Amino acid sequence: RKEVEQDPGPFNVPEGATVAFNCTYSNSASQSFFWYRQDCRKEPKLLMSVYSSGNEDGRFTAQLNRASQYISLLIRDSKLSDSATYLCVVSVYTGGFKTIFGAGTRLFVKA
Amino acid sequence: DAGVIQSPRHEVTEMGQEVTLRCKPISGHNSLFWYRQTMMRGLELLIYFNNNVPIDDSGMPEDRFSAKMPNASFSTLKIQPSEPRDSAVYFCASSEPGRTSSYEQYFGPGTRLTVT
């Protein structure tokens, strides 16, 4: 079983749609959680951190359920510019913070 | 700030040759990470350093791979000898050191390695 698993995708949605990404992690000692975004042939960049209380940044909402070891990302009113790969990331302390990336879910938003 | 700097951006080499990838982290960032990304395996953490000290190298695929961080502003990832299956994009990332939680990692543009 992979340490971080995501929906395989790709997701193809029209502009304005709401899309949800799911992610599960296997290590219950995981301490920090993130969503990164990666555009084609570019480096990953932080989209948002994920907190137990849930957090929102404009059209993006992230949720964490530690009991279920589950993370989600919701994008509302999707834009063409949201087309990218979304990576779920988990950090575990091993003398420093070891980060594990999920395989990513590709999103295509079409006009 | 210039961000994380990696060189070279592209490298094409023949099987058996030594390859050295270089990284300059963001000034003041004490954690440095090396990743490899392929279509088949996604983004894999190879090794990471805190304050120039390797903390976890369990992701290094085999003895052909080695990484060093001689000072806070420079790190290298070396492959010797290189093999075609090492072809991938290699990313370096840096972050501020976390005490109780992990912080955002800033990635360099990557080195696209092709081994023929």
Side-chain angles (χ1 to χ4, degrees), chain B:
Chain B
D1 199 325
V4 176
I5 299 172
Q6 289 188 249
S7 65
R9 293 292 306 275
H10 301 273
E11 176 82 29
V12 180
T13 191
E14 291 184 349
M15 182 173 66
Q17 296 298 306
E18 177 180 295
V19 175
T20 300
L21 311 181
R22 296 173 178 78
C23 175
K24 177 178 167 55
I26 292 172
S27 177
H29 283 190
N30 291 359
S31 294
L32 184 139
F33 305 79
W34 280 103
Y35 294 89
R36 175 173 70 175
Q37 188 172 38
T38 61
M39 287 293 293
M40 291 296 294
R41 301 176 66 88
L43 196 62
E44 304 172 278
L45 177 65
L46 301 177
I47 184 171
Y48 74 96
F49 297 82
N50 268 10
N51 296 315
N52 313 339
V53 176
I55 302 299
D56 189 330
D57 65 355
S58 59
M60 295 286 261
E62 47 197 272
D63 291 346
R64 298 185 297 107
F65 286 69
S66 62
K68 293 182 180 179
M69 191 165 186
N71 57 61
S73 59
F74 183 66
S75 177
T76 59
L77 178 68
K78 187 175 293 187
I79 308 172
Q80 166 63 20
S82 58
E83 297 182 2
R85 61 193 167 121
D86 301 331
S87 297
V89 179
Y90 290 81
F91 288 106
C92 174
S94 71
S95 75
E96 297 177 40
R99 293 194 187 90
T100 60
S101 64
S102 177
Y103 294 117
E104 174 180 5
Q105 291 185 23
Y106 294 81
F107 282 74
T111 295
R112 186 171 297 275
L113 174 65
T114 303
V115 183
T116 60

Side-chain angles (χ1 to χ4, degrees), chain A residues 8 13 26-27 36 50 57 99-100 103 110:
Chain A
V13 303
S26 61
N27 190 336
Y36 277 70
V50 188
D57 182 2
T99 46
I100 302 146
K110 51 189 188 298

Side-chain angles (χ1 to χ4, degrees), chain A residues 7 12-13 16 22 27-29 33 45 51 61 66 80 91 100 103 110:
Chain A
D7 292 332
N12 292 283
V13 303
N22 302 313
N27 190 336
S28 59
F33 309 89
K45 292 184 179 179
Y51 305 112
T61 300
R66 284 186 182 269
L80 294 175
S91 288
I100 302 146
K110 51 189 188 298

